[in-house]
Amino acid sequence: MFFTTDMGNHEMNYTAKFYPLPSDGVCGRKTVESDGRDPVTIDPYIFDDEIAITVDAAFATRRPLLISGPPGCGKSRLAETIADLKGWHYIGKTLTSRTRIEDLTVEMDHLRRLHDAHKKEGNIDSDWAYYMPGIFWWALNSKTAKNRGAPPEHHEKVEEASFPGLERRQEQAVESTVILLDEIDKAEPDLPNDLLELLDRGSFDLPNGQKEYRDKAKAILTVITTNGERELPLAFLRRCVHLELTQPPKEALIRIAVCHFAEEHTTESEHKQLVKKISAIVEQFDKCRRQAKQDDLRVPGTSELLDAIRASIKLKIPADPDNHIWEYLQRAIISKHPKKLESADE
């Protein structure tokens, strides 16, 4: 149960057309069962009109959704929430400087192939037996990915590949997927351009020279996040719908935090105490945030605020700026600045 006492108003004027967004934009915490895996918890997320409209625009145009913003502002969580609202599969991958297009489409397991060549005295299996399907292959055509691209007559003897994300039971005959490419600005500069054909045409090359194509009845939403550490190619940007997330103001932070912790405070009295505690922590968090901007230091994100609230509740440490115990907790979770920098600022 959610109370509104001291949380402020959260009104939305836009009604989403392509996904079932609650009228107040508040998506509560949810636990999802996954076949053969531990249950997955989807954390709460609060939409506003701009987020709701931009997500709808990505569905309407069938373009990738590019989300920019500082670390910890909820970029990757939005992708997970969209998948939950749609009831689609979800696959996420954090990109690094070593990520290649083959990591996202298909790789050949050369080591196992070499091992088999020695073991079988050169009589190795067909190439497809060593294919390792990437997240885009699963999204484009999960049936061929599962069988590693083997011809139908060989399906019985192929070692099936495992789905790399969260699978949901879907009513549609053809299942759909949300893909998350997290932190594309960390990847090699060529990767965004290497993605163009994949995003435009829904196809990629297999190691044997053949092409794998998207199942035309299958729907896909690609969500791509960036922290803005590197400029992205213009050709790539033209193909995306863009959403910029900023650090929320204090009132919005209180709403977000209360949404995260309300389930543990079910009575109205407990809820009022929760809002009071969260408001005090947000006040200290906002001071740290403004000081960091003034000193040109790393600005703490929303995820760190939630960690501070969780620690404050479990350790029973109130947000008292005159209490050195709170000061230590704040330094450990929110500011994270070396002491020598803090001393220099003073």
Side-chain angles (χ1 to χ4, degrees):
M1 181 176 183
F2 290 98
F3 300 91
T4 58
T5 308
D6 300 327
M7 286 182 62
N9 295 323
H10 182 66
E11 297 181 356
M12 290 193 61
N13 299 312
Y14 181 76
T15 302
K17 309 299 190 300
F18 285 90
Y19 58 107
L21 182 66
S23 58
D24 61 358
V26 178
C27 303
R29 181 177 282 106
K30 184 176 180 181
T31 300
V32 181
E33 299 291 335
S34 182
D35 292 342
R37 302 191 181 190
D38 293 334
V40 176
T41 299
I42 310 297
D43 284 332
Y45 204 94
I46 298 180
F47 285 68
D48 58 23
D49 282 336
E50 183 176 11
I51 297 174
I53 292 168
T54 308
V55 171
D56 243 358
F59 280 119
T61 59
R62 298 182 181 178
R63 292 290 192 180
L65 174 61
L66 175 65
I67 309 176
S68 62
C73 68
K75 300 186 295 296
S76 58
R77 292 297 181 193
L78 178 55
E80 194 176 37
T81 301
I82 295 170
D84 183 61
L85 289 171
K86 292 286 284 186
W88 288 5
H89 299 325
Y90 172 75
I91 315 174
K93 186 175 181 65
T94 300
L95 307 183
T96 71
S97 60
R98 298 183 299 276
T99 303
R100 301 169 297 122
I101 190 66
E102 290 81 7
D103 297 317
L104 306 176
T105 54
V106 57
E107 278 193 293
M108 176 75 80
D109 190 342
H110 293 288
L111 187 61
R112 188 162 66 89
R113 193 175 189 273
L114 180 62
H115 179 268
D116 285 354
H118 287 295
K119 185 174 64 174
K120 300 178 181 179
E121 298 182 351
N123 297 317
I124 60 174
D125 295 326
S126 301
D127 284 347
W128 48 258
Y130 303 97
Y131 288 172
M132 297 187 294
I135 61 175
F136 272 101
W137 190 347
W138 283 103
L140 294 171
N141 196 324
S142 57
K143 292 180 181 178
T144 59
K146 184 177 182 179
N147 291 297
R148 304 180 188 273
E153 61 270 21
H154 294 292
H155 284 181
E156 289 186 0
K157 65 178 185 179
V158 70
E159 181 184 351
E160 292 185 350
S162 299
F163 189 81
L166 173 61
E167 287 185 283
R168 290 181 170 88
R169 297 182 182 277
Q170 299 183 40
E171 296 179 0
Q172 298 89 339
V174 180
E175 298 175 342
S176 301
T177 306
V178 171
I179 293 178
L180 170 65
L181 299 182
D182 206 12
E183 300 188 348
I184 196 170
D185 49 324
K186 298 283 200 310
E188 283 290 330
D190 290 338
L191 184 63
N193 285 328
D194 291 340
L195 286 167
L196 295 183
E197 179 180 356
L198 187 58
L199 297 175
D200 280 347
R201 301 180 181 178
S203 64
F204 63 90
D205 294 324
L206 294 171
N208 62 6
Q210 297 180 347
K211 278 191 175 292
E212 183 68 33
Y213 294 92
R214 178 177 68 86
D215 184 329
K216 293 182 179 180
K218 189 175 178 63
I220 300 171
L221 176 67
T222 303
V223 178
I224 305 166
T225 74
T226 173
N227 295 327
E229 295 182 8
R230 176 188 295 153
E231 289 190 11
L232 299 172
L234 293 179
F236 179 80
L237 290 174
R238 283 196 295 269
R239 288 165 169 81
C240 297
V241 172
H242 179 228
L243 170 66
E244 182 177 5
L245 295 181
T246 59
Q247 290 288 4
K250 288 194 296 183
E251 294 77 12
L253 287 173
I254 294 173
R255 286 197 301 270
I256 292 169
V258 170
C259 185
H260 272 257
F261 296 99
E263 292 177 357
E264 303 167 18
H265 302 77
T266 55
T267 69
E268 187 168 359
S269 174
E270 290 175 339
H271 180 81
K272 287 182 178 179
Q273 289 298 317
L274 173 67
V275 174
K276 183 178 180 181
K277 177 182 285 288
I278 285 175
S279 299
I281 297 175
V282 167
E283 188 65 36
Q284 298 305 310
F285 174 84
D286 190 55
K287 288 180 180 179
C288 288
R289 187 167 61 174
R290 286 187 279 111
Q291 187 66 49
K293 290 179 181 178
Q294 179 180 322
D295 297 335
D296 198 24
L297 297 173
R298 186 198 67 85
V299 178
T302 307
S303 60
E304 289 161 304
L305 168 66
L306 297 175
D307 285 342
I309 295 170
R310 185 173 293 107
S312 175
I313 292 173
K314 291 187 175 182
L315 302 178
K316 298 181 180 179
I317 300 174
D320 182 356
D322 297 325
N323 185 339
H324 70 282
I325 300 298
W326 165 256
E327 182 183 346
Y328 294 153
L329 185 66
Q330 178 175 279
R331 181 180 296 161
I333 297 180
I334 298 177
S335 62
K336 301 179 183 177
H337 299 143
K339 291 183 180 180
K340 60 182 180 180
L341 289 179
E342 294 181 351
S343 299
D345 293 336
E346 294 172 0

